[in-house]
Amino acid sequence: MLQTSLSVVAPPGMETPRRPALSVVVPAFDEQEVLPEFHRRLAAAMEGIGLAWEVVYVNDGSRDGTLGVMLGLRAADPRVAVVNLSRNFGKEIALTAGLDHARGTDAVVVIDADLQDPPEVIADLVAAWREGFDVVYAQRRVRHGEGVVKRATAAAFYRLMQRIGGRVRLPKDTGDFRLMSRRAVDALLSLREQHRFMKGLFAWVGFPARPVLYDRAPRAAGRTKWNWWKLWNLSLEGITSFTVAPLKVATYLGLATAAIALVYGTVVVVKTLLFGNPVAGYPSLMTVMLFLGGVQLITLGIIGEYLGRVFNETKRRPLYLVERHLPSEPPSTGAAAGDQPAERTTLGRVA
Ligand code: UDP
Ligand code: MG
């Protein structure tokens, strides 16, 4: 499990392009203000680690000059790879695209571009990985720059997921910022579902894992693309792609209402037998009808959430389309093993 990279000596005359040991994957959407600073800090942090590395910037259909900034970085630094997606696909898929194109032979680090995840923490991730852990996830010690409500809802969500997740456990206060060994990345990439709740997928893969605590900083520049509606949808995504427990709610709700109806029905029958039928009961009838109608609509909605996801998966579309891929230059020296880089197709799948 210890990821020592064996430097394979290529047979004479067979020039094999070297691959870096470590890849850093950075999805970015409208991040032109922070990217130069991010790259400066990343490069400084990576220098201290002493492994050959590359950074894969994924431009997720930015509407600003992000792509230009990335190309500029690549012109100045051969360790930069750029993957330009054909449009905005969302962070989860941009991340997958980056992982697909990461050529690091030993490990891959996933980090946000907005400097909320300090690049300096990567050294700690690498240290823990060298101890033999396949997955080292950065766990927030405190959440700066986030309101009380956001913190409370996040906590509630993690608690809910913890309870319904069954065997698969979601570590709390953990985002996508993490290091994964090559075999963990390959395992993750074998999951090609359309609905990519990354936290769930990371957790599903398993492998020896441990947290590294860090302080999450507020955004350096630009603004978050999250709003409450998106967070709500992300939670729905998380629950529905993680567990089918809500489907069972319908069953138990049905059983409970049937039991109540039986008791109530008995009461009505007995009352009618004893006291006759004064033909009243419009309010209770209305209440029961509305209540049952509501329950039915909610359960239909839950089924619909799942059905919609089944529909999306059956189309089997590629996860993303690549407009342009500029790989990093192979490292001239370093601890990288040298096998042929995999052929990339533009269909969101590594051939
Ligand atoms: N991001 C992306 N595509 C999107 C939205 C966001 O690639 O559609 C990137 C964004 O550039 C950043 C990371 O995902 O690097 C996290 O986004 P953000 O900071 O908006 O999320 P938050 O930190 O608020 O959870
Ligand atoms: Mg952020």
Side-chain angles (χ1 to χ4, degrees):
M1 204 168 51
L2 200 68
Q3 289 86 356
T4 44
S5 83
L6 298 171
S7 284
V8 183
V9 182
M14 237 187 84
E15 214 32 57
T16 49
R18 286 164 179 279
R19 290 167 59 175
L22 213 61
S23 292
V24 181
V25 168
V26 189
F29 174 58
D30 289 355
E31 302 282 9
Q32 62 174 7
E33 293 101 341
V34 270
L35 266 185
E37 169 67 4
F38 172 84
H39 188 72
R40 199 190 55 71
R41 271 177 65 182
L42 178 74
M46 297 305 289
E47 281 319 304
I49 292 172
L51 285 171
W53 62 281
E54 65 163 4
V55 52
V56 181
Y57 287 115
V58 182
N59 177 33
D60 187 18
S62 300
R63 296 155 299 184
D64 64 358
T66 298
L67 179 63
V69 174
M70 286 180 180
L71 295 177
L73 289 174
R74 185 172 181 276
D77 188 342
R79 295 167 300 193
V80 173
V82 175
V83 177
N84 188 38
L85 299 184
S86 62
R87 62 170 169 84
N88 178 258
F89 282 89
K91 183 189 175 184
E92 322 274 315
I93 286 181
L95 200 63
T96 308
L99 290 173
D100 275 339
H101 291 84
R103 304 196 311 166
T105 51
D106 294 7
V108 179
V109 173
V110 172
I111 187 171
D112 282 0
D114 57 9
L115 288 172
Q116 277 193 289
D117 308 331
E120 294 74 27
V121 176
I122 295 176
D124 301 339
L125 301 182
V126 170
W129 164 66
R130 281 181 168 143
E131 285 169 21
F133 290 93
D134 282 88
V135 179
V136 187
Y137 52 93
Q139 197 166 47
R140 294 188 274 267
R141 202 176 287 135
V142 279
R143 286 168 166 247
H144 282 300
E146 285 178 0
V148 185
V149 187
K150 172 129 188 231
R151 262 183 280 176
T153 44
F157 175 69
Y158 281 118
R159 221 169 309 127
L160 178 71
M161 294 298 276
Q162 215 52 281
R163 187 152 305 171
I164 62 180
R167 252 181 288 260
V168 182
R169 292 250 161 255
L170 277 193
K172 73 170 188 330
D173 286 342
T174 301
D176 298 333
F177 185 22
R178 64 186 58 223
L179 177 148
M180 282 172 287
S181 68
R182 182 31 82 180
R183 66 172 184 174
V185 172
D186 289 343
L188 182 69
L189 289 179
S190 68
L191 311 177
R192 304 305 296 189
E193 56 238 64
Q194 298 282 335
H195 290 272
R196 305 189 74 74
F197 177 63
M198 290 311 276
K199 292 186 220 313
L201 297 186
F202 287 140
W204 186 89
V205 164
F207 287 118
R210 70 158 260 205
V212 159
L213 292 180
Y214 80 115
D215 295 315
R216 189 162 167 85
R219 249 178 177 281
R223 40 190 294 260
T224 177
K225 283 94 206 173
W226 292 106
N227 54 41
W228 286 107
W229 180 240
K230 281 194 180 166
L231 278 179
W232 164 251
N233 279 317
L234 181 71
S235 311
L236 271 191
E237 196 71 64
I239 292 166
T240 50
S241 62
F242 201 61
T243 167
V244 291
L247 287 176
K248 295 186 184 154
V249 170
T251 314
Y252 293 111
L253 226 56
L255 283 177
T257 34
I260 294 170
L262 193 72
V263 172
Y264 183 62
T266 315
V267 169
V268 169
V269 167
V270 170
K271 236 169 90 177
T272 314
L273 285 180
L274 291 183
F275 306 110
N277 185 5
V279 193
Y282 173 75
S284 58
L285 205 67
M286 233 12 219
T287 314
V288 170
M289 249 179 61
L290 289 178
F291 174 71
L292 284 184
V295 167
Q296 282 174 354
L297 283 181
I298 291 171
T299 46
L300 263 182
I302 294 175
I303 296 171
E305 288 285 338
Y306 284 94
L307 185 65
R309 281 168 177 78
V310 171
F311 172 62
N312 282 337
E313 297 295 345
T314 54
K315 287 189 278 192
R316 303 198 61 86
R317 289 191 184 161
L319 286 178
Y320 56 85
L321 295 174
V322 174
E323 187 271 332
R324 208 179 319 174
H325 171 219
L326 305 165
S328 61
E329 302 287 324
S332 47
T333 57
D339 46 325
Q340 207 71 33
E343 259 312 301
R344 311 287 163 178
T345 69
T346 58
L347 291 181
R349 209 173 248 287
V350 179

